Amino acid sequence: MKLFKSLSILLLVLCSCATFAQVQVTGTIIDTGNTPIIGATILLKNAENTFGKLTDKSGKFEIDAPSGNYDIEVRYLGLQSYKNTIEISDGSTFDVGTIQLEEGTEQLQSVEVVGRARTDYNSDYSFSSTKVAIKNRELPQAVSTITKELINDRQAFQIADAIKNSSSVTHTGFYNHFNIRGIIQAEDGQLINGMRTRQYYFLQPITSHIERAEVIKGPSSVTFSSVDPGGSVNLVTKKPLKEKRNEVSATVGSFGTLRATADFTGPLNDSGTLLYRFNTAVQEARSFRDLVQNNQFLITPSITFLPNSTTALNVEMIYSSGVGNLDRGQPLFGPINGQFDLKSTDISTNVGAANDFYSSKEFMVISNFSKQITDNIGFNASYMKQTWEEDLAEHRVAGSAAVDIDGNSIPTLAELRYTERQQFWITDNYTAYINFDIENDSFTNKLLVGYDGSRWERTIGGASNGARRYRRLNGTATSFDPAEADQFETIDIDGVTAPRPNIDHFDLADPNNTARETSGYITSEFAIPANLTTSNGIYIQNQFKIGKFSALLNLRYDWYEDIFDYKSNNEESNKNEAFIPRIGLTYEATENISVYGSYVEGFQPQSNTVTLSPATEDFFWTGSPASFDPLESDNIEFGAKGEFLGGKVIVNAAVYQITQKNLLQQDPNDESVLTERGEQRSRGFEWDLTGYVLPNFQVSASYAFIDAEIIEDDDPTLIGERIGGAPEHSANFWGRYDFTHGALKNIGVGFGTEYRGDRLSWYGDRIELPSYTIFDAAVYYRPSGIDMQIALKLNNLLDETYWNGALNATRLFPGAPRNVLLTTTYKF
């Protein structure tokens, strides 16, 4: 009921703005090179009204305002502000002409504490990949950026929907889990503002607080400590802005989707030294999948204090609560004549019960302090504290089809298991570094020395209780052995004698998802041992530029400790340490194009952080994964980066080869035992393009070719086979065109397509998922006289049946059928 009240209030605000006689104020903003400035902020103020607008791709703006006297101000990061007073007389238009902004003394911030100024699909810098502000063009590493503007235009309300725009990224299922450059993520932590978190992925949080998502390609252990070698996803949150901006939106859509968001930012005092941002969202959403829902509440306030031009303090909080279901995917009939049929069950089929649930809650506080000590020396320190907890009750497929008394498979019946699980995590993350910058007419050198560390603790009190397998006459439940058939209880299934399951089988041919009585299950109770993983690293980084050549050199030393069964008499400690290098060279081949080459290594100790990965999810209590050899990887990469049409279009291309050793997985014959794969290798080519290819036509496009295969494995039949989850070819396109004249003025249209080549499931039966192409479309309407947009988005326009990924034959992840979203956004 509260949700509907919130929606009603928002809709009332959106619809209650009456317009009076308006004058259209127009103008053009350019820089000293006469280049139009995209995304400059225009403010018109008087005692009664304040109007704001951003310049478009041509540097032009239009503001509808009543006649009267106004103060006009034009702002753009890095350029001096323009201020003047104008008098708007009655009439249809008032043209302020062309305004040229002069070069300013304000430099690009050394750490991101103030919000991003651009308002397009491009982002020309990244702090996270080097910890300092280095333009992407000078960075010898591929970074794909998905900005909030692209997220909003595609109505990508979950992380997976957003980052699929990046080349070489494939969503592996229903969770925040991805295959990047052919390598499936081994851990489930994410990066928030460059700091590692324990943000789990079963219930995807919504993206209303995200400024941009960065896919940092290749091993990034030299920057972030232990992370996956294919790439890392860093989520950059929205920061306070120096100018006032307010936005509310409401969304309705297919599958019972209701969503409302609000985002307010600006200065808290007249001097502009204290800034704030308040972002909140609420969602109720079901799914095309039976019983599945994802209800979310998010609140993310932040404060920035800028007492002078050399000091900044930022503190932000993220509170996210999700309640829904853990969707384990679509199960298939057992193999018939050795073959699985992907359409043997409907894509909506879910074996869960109506009384299953999943709850996830996290609370995070991030603080950052930066100080420019002298013109050449700066200091930065950050700290993050996070708590995360989950509560789960679920029925799921146990991993095989039911059997009769002789051990023969019954393909239409799925053997079930039941799990109740609770666990609690506390994460601490801290980093500090000092940078020394030297710059003259022919030489630039940026030296950085730093330390960072993390502490991940799974606390005492976690439990995972479960019921599964078949009932014996002695009151226990074990795996069924036909040689001991006389020791098991039996049932009759359509005239066939079969062992009695601990949990009644799920009939895939006649699904029934009613609530299940669980008190009669023979349940095993397990306490999840407490675990503590600590990571510490010291590093030195140097970037220097001479003429057209620049180099980025890193050396990091990390030491880790993983304590299994923490705070007990049976503590088991495992330690690892490593030196991690990176070297990258960049050459400015032309005024618009840079080429680069790089080599970087990755190092991931096996630890308790893998125990929730789908590949190792039952490995809670039988020992520490840290006793295995660490994951080791390296990446060799060559690429080119270009900026065209005055910086409006950015193009990146790269070729690479990644090798990874010691991949941890469950033994296919015993899920309580882990094993390591010897080596896998992925090589490929990727290409990304973003920006305005025409004044009113903005696009995001990508293509990737991935050749990923298993090099060494205990199973000789897998050597030379493709890595599960990695398509050979994939491509993405999204474009938006806005009409500015004629009968279609104020109308915009969007069109997108996504292609994924065929892929294999991760492990087990190695099922092949067919290639697919899906199309999306959108229509946008911006009425005159009010800063509002109404967006209608159609996803999977042709209603294609397809699968994002699969773990095995019992866990397929189908894509959603045709669906629609309608979003109304009002800015004031």
Side-chain angles (χ1 to χ4, degrees):
M1 183 63 73
K2 290 182 179 180
L3 174 66
F4 290 103
K5 288 182 178 178
S6 301
L7 284 171
S8 299
I9 292 171
L10 281 174
L11 290 171
L12 181 63
V13 172
L14 295 176
C15 300
S16 62
C17 300
T19 58
F20 301 93
Q22 302 283 309
V23 179
Q24 188 176 74
V25 182
T26 63
T28 303
I29 311 301
I30 61 174
D31 61 18
T32 54
N34 294 322
T35 300
I37 299 175
I38 303 172
T41 300
I42 317 298
L43 294 175
L44 285 181
K45 297 181 180 180
N46 63 15
E48 292 80 24
N49 297 296
T50 298
F51 301 95
K53 210 65 179 285
L54 301 176
T55 53
D56 62 16
K57 350 356 162 177
S58 303
K60 299 181 182 297
F61 69 90
E62 296 179 356
I63 299 177
D64 293 313
S67 59
N69 294 322
Y70 290 88
D71 293 326
I72 182 171
E73 182 176 1
V74 183
R75 299 176 185 169
Y76 191 75
L77 184 66
L79 301 178
Q80 294 183 25
S81 297
Y82 169 89
K83 296 182 180 180
N84 202 352
T85 300
I86 60 175
E87 181 180 355
I88 302 175
S89 303
D90 291 334
S92 58
T93 61
F94 182 91
D95 187 9
V96 301
T98 299
I99 299 174
Q100 186 177 70
L101 299 187
E102 301 295 327
E103 294 292 333
T105 58
E106 181 181 13
Q107 301 297 314
L108 184 66
Q109 52 192 320
S110 61
V111 64
E112 196 161 12
V113 292
V114 177
R116 167 177 166 270
R118 296 189 69 146
T119 57
D120 56 3
Y121 291 175
N122 289 333
S123 182
D124 51 10
Y125 62 89
S126 171
F127 297 97
S128 304
S129 55
T130 59
K131 294 186 181 291
V132 292
I134 294 179
K135 287 193 173 183
N136 287 334
R137 185 178 165 186
E138 298 177 2
L139 181 66
Q141 184 177 14
V143 178
S144 296
T145 302
I146 298 89
T147 66
K148 69 177 184 298
E149 289 75 22
L150 179 55
I151 291 173
N152 291 339
D153 283 353
R154 295 207 75 163
Q155 297 197 45
F157 294 112
Q158 296 178 331
I159 300 303
D161 297 327
I163 70 168
K164 70 179 183 181
N165 294 277
S166 172
S167 62
S168 302
V169 177
T170 300
H171 191 200
T172 58
F174 294 145
Y175 322 131
N176 280 333
H177 195 254
F178 311 99
N179 182 296
I180 304 177
R181 284 187 168 178
I183 305 296
I184 289 178
Q185 291 178 303
E187 291 191 349
D188 55 281
Q190 292 182 345
L191 297 170
I192 303 287
N193 297 326
M195 305 191 78
R196 300 188 65 212
T197 74
R198 187 62 184 175
Q199 187 174 19
Y200 203 41
Y201 55 79
F202 276 146
L203 282 182
Q204 294 190 51
I206 46 185
T207 57
S208 64
H209 65 307
I210 300 302
E211 175 69 35
R212 65 184 184 275
E214 300 173 334
V215 183
I216 303 168
K217 308 291 183 63
S220 295
S221 295
V222 70
T223 307
F224 302 122
S225 185
S226 171
V227 286
D228 293 293
S232 304
V233 177
N234 178 48
L235 305 179
V236 180
T237 56
K238 294 177 179 178
K239 303 295 190 297
L241 297 173
K242 292 183 177 180
E243 62 271 0
K244 180 181 178 181
R245 294 185 192 174
N246 300 309
E247 177 181 312
V248 291
S249 74
T251 300
V252 296
S254 301
F255 317 128
T257 298
L258 294 167
R259 183 182 299 111
T261 71
D263 184 14
F264 308 121
T265 185
L268 284 172
N269 56 5
D270 293 336
S271 62
T273 59
L274 192 62
L275 314 176
Y276 84 99
R277 193 147 193 168
F278 181 83
N279 192 292
T280 187
V282 61
Q283 170 183 278
E284 284 190 5
R286 292 190 176 273
S287 168
F288 71 98
R289 302 269 302 138
D290 294 337
L291 293 183
V292 173
Q293 59 182 333
N294 183 359
N295 300 333
Q296 294 280 337
F297 174 71
L298 173 75
I299 182 170
T300 60
S302 59
I303 294 287
T304 296
F305 180 47
L306 305 168
N308 52 55
S309 61
T310 63
T311 308
L313 174 66
N314 179 269
V315 179
E316 61 184 293
M317 180 192 84
I318 301 173
Y319 175 83
S320 178
S321 176
V323 177
N325 304 84
L326 198 167
D327 189 354
R328 294 291 188 174
Q330 171 197 359
L332 301 179
F333 284 5
I336 299 175
N337 298 324
Q339 299 295 317
F340 289 94
D341 180 3
L342 299 185
K343 297 184 179 181
S344 60
T345 60
D346 192 87
I347 61 172
S348 65
T349 302
N350 176 14
V351 303
N355 50 333
D356 290 352
F357 66 89
Y358 183 83
S359 173
S360 175
K361 183 170 64 177
E362 71 167 358
F363 195 175
M364 186 186 309
V365 176
I366 306 173
S367 59
N368 173 269
F369 173 77
S370 63
K371 176 68 177 179
Q372 193 67 31
I373 301 172
T374 70
D375 290 341
N376 305 107
I377 302 175
F379 172 77
N380 182 278
S382 299
Y383 173 70
M384 183 204 74
K385 182 82 170 184
Q386 179 199 26
T387 61
W388 172 76
E389 62 183 68
E390 72 165 359
D391 189 9
L392 161 73
E394 66 161 344
H395 289 83
R396 54 181 287 200
V397 176
S400 62
V403 296
D404 64 19
I405 200 67
D406 297 317
N408 300 312
S409 174
I410 306 176
T412 61
L413 295 182
E415 181 187 344
L416 293 187
R417 60 186 293 186
Y418 175 71
T419 301
E420 295 176 345
R421 186 174 71 225
Q422 298 83 33
Q423 59 177 326
F424 316 93
W425 288 80
I426 300 173
T427 300
D428 294 273
N429 225 292
Y430 25 86
T431 182
Y433 55 85
I434 188 167
N435 55 286
F436 307 86
D437 297 342
I438 301 173
E439 185 173 356
N440 56 40
D441 293 338
S442 59
F443 177 79
T444 299
N445 192 86
K446 296 182 178 182
L447 177 67
L448 184 148
V449 179
Y451 160 82
D452 61 34
S454 64
R455 185 182 187 277
W456 294 20
E457 180 184 354
R458 183 169 59 199
T459 65
I460 293 172
S464 181
N465 303 332
R468 59 185 309 182
R469 301 188 173 95
Y470 293 87
R471 291 175 176 258
R472 283 182 172 266
L473 295 173
N474 63 6
T476 63
T478 67
S479 297
F480 177 68
D481 182 355
E484 299 178 348
D486 59 348
Q487 301 298 313
F488 287 82
E489 298 180 27
T490 60
I491 57 173
D492 180 83
I493 302 175
D494 296 329
V496 176
T497 301
R500 180 182 294 277
N502 190 6
I503 302 169
D504 289 344
H505 295 316
F506 188 90
D507 190 345
L508 296 170
D510 185 20
N512 184 341
N513 297 104
T514 58
R516 288 176 174 253
E517 175 56 54
T518 63
S519 60
Y521 297 166
I522 300 173
T523 303
S524 300
E525 297 182 357
F526 294 97
I528 300 177
N531 290 83
L532 176 65
T533 298
T534 58
S535 169
N536 296 275
I538 54 176
Y539 52 89
I540 183 169
Q541 172 181 287
N542 195 51
Q543 187 208 28
F544 62 87
K545 184 177 182 181
I546 302 175
K548 295 184 177 182
F549 285 94
S550 63
L552 180 65
L553 308 174
N554 294 75
L555 182 63
R556 179 185 181 101
Y557 173 68
D558 268 343
W559 62 100
Y560 305 83
E561 182 178 14
D562 187 88
I563 302 176
F564 179 77
D565 215 355
Y566 181 53
K567 293 183 178 179
S568 78
N569 294 327
N570 300 311
E571 280 190 356
E572 176 187 340
S573 174
N574 291 274
K575 297 181 180 181
N576 282 281
E577 58 185 41
F579 282 97
I580 307 169
R582 170 168 67 179
I583 180 171
L585 302 174
T586 303
Y587 174 67
E588 294 181 5
T590 70
E591 183 180 353
N592 300 319
I593 300 174
S594 299
V595 295
Y596 70 90
S598 67
Y599 172 80
V600 60
E601 293 183 358
F603 184 79
Q604 288 177 277
Q606 316 282 12
S607 71
N608 69 72
T609 61
V610 306
T611 56
L612 291 179
S613 170
T616 56
E617 61 196 343
D618 287 300
F619 201 73
F620 279 120
W621 41 79
T622 55
S624 174
S627 61
F628 290 87
D629 292 335
L631 284 162
E632 297 178 1
S633 58
D634 60 67
N635 179 64
I636 300 172
E637 182 175 329
F638 298 94
K641 303 181 179 184
E643 296 182 359
F644 306 98
L645 301 180
K648 295 179 182 179
V649 174
I650 296 176
V651 181
N652 299 323
V655 293
Y656 61 87
Q657 176 171 295
I658 299 173
T659 58
Q660 183 185 35
K661 300 179 180 179
N662 306 327
L663 186 69
L664 200 63
Q665 290 191 347
Q666 285 175 305
D667 188 301
N669 300 314
D670 186 349
E671 65 184 20
S672 66
V673 175
L674 295 184
T675 183
E676 286 187 319
R677 174 177 292 167
E679 183 176 340
Q680 57 187 17
R681 185 266 305 147
S682 178
R683 60 168 68 107
F685 166 78
E686 60 192 22
W687 172 86
D688 294 85
L689 179 151
T690 57
Y692 281 102
V693 295
L694 294 172
N696 300 319
F697 185 33
Q698 187 168 201
V699 303
S700 170
S702 66
Y703 167 76
F705 166 77
I706 300 173
D707 175 20
E709 69 175 59
I710 300 167
I711 303 299
E712 297 180 8
D713 197 278
D714 293 341
D715 183 352
T717 64
L718 293 177
I719 295 176
E721 292 291 311
R722 289 164 58 188
I723 297 172
E728 189 173 37
H729 298 276
S730 60
N732 244 291
F733 174 85
W734 178 262
R736 172 172 175 167
Y737 184 85
D738 290 294
F739 297 92
T740 57
H741 300 90
L744 295 179
K745 182 182 179 181
N746 301 334
I747 298 293
V749 293
F751 177 77
T753 183
E754 175 188 350
Y755 170 77
R756 292 289 182 268
D758 57 84
R759 291 132 293 134
L760 295 170
S761 57
W762 293 15
Y763 51 80
D765 304 293
R766 304 276 289 175
I767 295 173
E768 182 174 308
L769 306 176
S771 62
Y772 67 85
T773 303
I774 57 174
F775 299 94
D776 302 333
V779 178
Y780 310 96
Y781 173 61
R782 292 180 176 272
S784 299
I786 184 172
D787 199 350
M788 176 188 289
Q789 175 178 272
I790 301 172
L792 179 68
K793 175 81 182 301
L794 292 171
N795 296 309
N796 195 359
L797 198 62
L798 302 182
D799 204 21
E800 179 79 6
T801 297
Y802 66 100
W803 288 266
N804 286 312
L807 269 66
N808 51 36
T810 67
R811 295 179 65 180
L812 276 70
F813 302 111
R818 183 189 299 120
N819 61 92
V820 62
L821 292 168
L822 176 64
T823 299
T824 302
T825 303
Y826 173 52
K827 299 179 181 180
F828 56 99

